[in-house]
Amino acid sequence: TDSQDTSKAQTAAEMVERISEIGLEVVEVVDISSDHSDEKYMKCAIQALNRKADGYISLLSAKDYANILIQLRSRGVDEGRRITASFSAYTEELIELAGESLDGTYIWNKFNPEYDSEEWRQLVEAYRQDHEGDIPMSTTVVDIYDSVMAVAACLEELQITGDPLLYDQECAAIVRWFYNSSEIQGIQGSYRWENGEKLKDYEYFIFNGA
């Protein structure tokens, strides 16, 4: 994990606490914070291998995960089913860096609709109301993140001031932007807004063999 990232650190702590409920044990949490160099990737992989674990769970970004995965593979971890990752997006960078090292591995997305936060509960309830009570588990976090980043990109690009005297003018400019935005780099690839809807290419990968 990366202890400098609050979400990753909280997930690691919760995993240590709860994983025993399914008969497993975390033998060690390896922290990659502060230094993201090739030497650190190698040291993290060796530290994990020295504990002789039955499997490895990465709570890292795509770049960090890809580099540590390569180190694990080069040191004899040849069964993909022993390796699982979260927080690592299916990006071009991940595939280019890790290549065949991804064969047989898994990536899962963390989403907890019962997270104990008033603001989060309000967001989940609003999302449910807009989706007939359902929460599409595989895309919710990505869509929320991308939507917030789109708003930020819009405000920056248009240099929105919030000046009451420019209210009508700025609102109209924001509407035009969301009906024909430029490409935005999101958490799992680029996308754009057209006619008020988020549009992106969907990618499906099976990391198995060649």
Side-chain angles (χ1 to χ4, degrees):
T1 191
D2 182 349
S3 62
Q4 292 185 334
D5 183 305
T6 302
S7 185
K8 294 180 177 68
Q10 288 177 346
T11 301
E14 187 170 351
M15 183 171 291
V16 170
E17 180 182 346
R18 296 193 178 190
I19 205 168
S20 61
E21 296 174 7
I22 58 173
L24 299 176
E25 176 190 1
V26 175
V27 295
E28 183 173 1
V29 177
V30 178
D31 185 10
I32 195 173
S33 62
S34 302
D35 179 13
H36 299 258
S37 64
D38 289 340
E39 183 179 2
K40 186 62 177 284
Y41 294 136
M42 180 179 66
K43 287 181 177 178
C44 285
I46 292 172
Q47 186 178 345
L49 287 165
N50 285 342
R51 294 309 303 265
K52 296 180 169 52
D54 294 320
Y56 306 93
I57 300 175
S58 167
L59 306 179
L60 295 171
S61 68
K63 180 180 179 181
D64 288 339
Y65 168 54
N67 281 288
I68 291 180
L69 174 61
I70 291 168
Q71 294 290 339
L72 289 173
R73 293 298 212 186
S74 69
R75 287 166 173 78
V77 183
D78 54 8
E79 185 182 357
R81 289 182 299 170
R82 295 178 60 191
I83 303 170
T84 300
S86 184
F87 294 97
S88 303
Y90 300 105
T91 62
E92 184 177 0
E93 180 183 43
L94 173 69
I95 296 169
E96 286 184 347
L97 284 173
E100 293 181 359
S101 294
L102 288 165
D103 288 356
T105 63
Y106 299 86
I107 295 179
W108 54 270
N109 288 319
K110 166 189 163 228
F111 179 68
N112 178 13
E114 307 306 326
Y115 181 69
D116 188 20
S117 161
E118 180 61 28
E119 292 85 358
W120 180 248
R121 284 196 294 270
Q122 291 174 357
L123 180 61
V124 169
E125 183 56 33
Y127 197 95
R128 282 193 168 119
Q129 289 177 6
D130 283 345
H131 294 81
E132 300 180 353
D134 294 329
I135 292 188
M137 300 296 281
S138 63
T139 63
T140 304
V141 172
V142 173
D143 284 341
I144 291 171
Y145 178 96
D146 284 350
S147 295
V148 172
M149 292 303 293
V151 171
C154 173
L155 299 182
E156 288 181 7
E157 184 177 321
L158 300 180
Q159 297 183 337
I160 299 299
T161 64
D163 185 340
L165 296 176
L166 300 175
Y167 179 80
D168 291 340
Q169 177 183 335
E170 291 188 338
C171 282
I174 290 170
V175 170
R176 287 195 301 272
W177 193 93
F178 275 98
Y179 271 73
N180 187 27
S181 84
S182 55
E183 287 284 314
I184 308 166
Q185 184 58 44
I187 196 171
Q188 290 186 334
S190 61
Y191 65 97
R192 61 191 171 86
W193 286 81
E194 184 176 298
N195 295 327
E197 293 187 351
K198 175 186 170 187
L199 299 180
K200 74 180 299 293
D201 293 330
Y202 282 86
E203 298 155 336
Y204 179 68
F205 303 98
I206 300 176
F207 299 129
N208 187 17

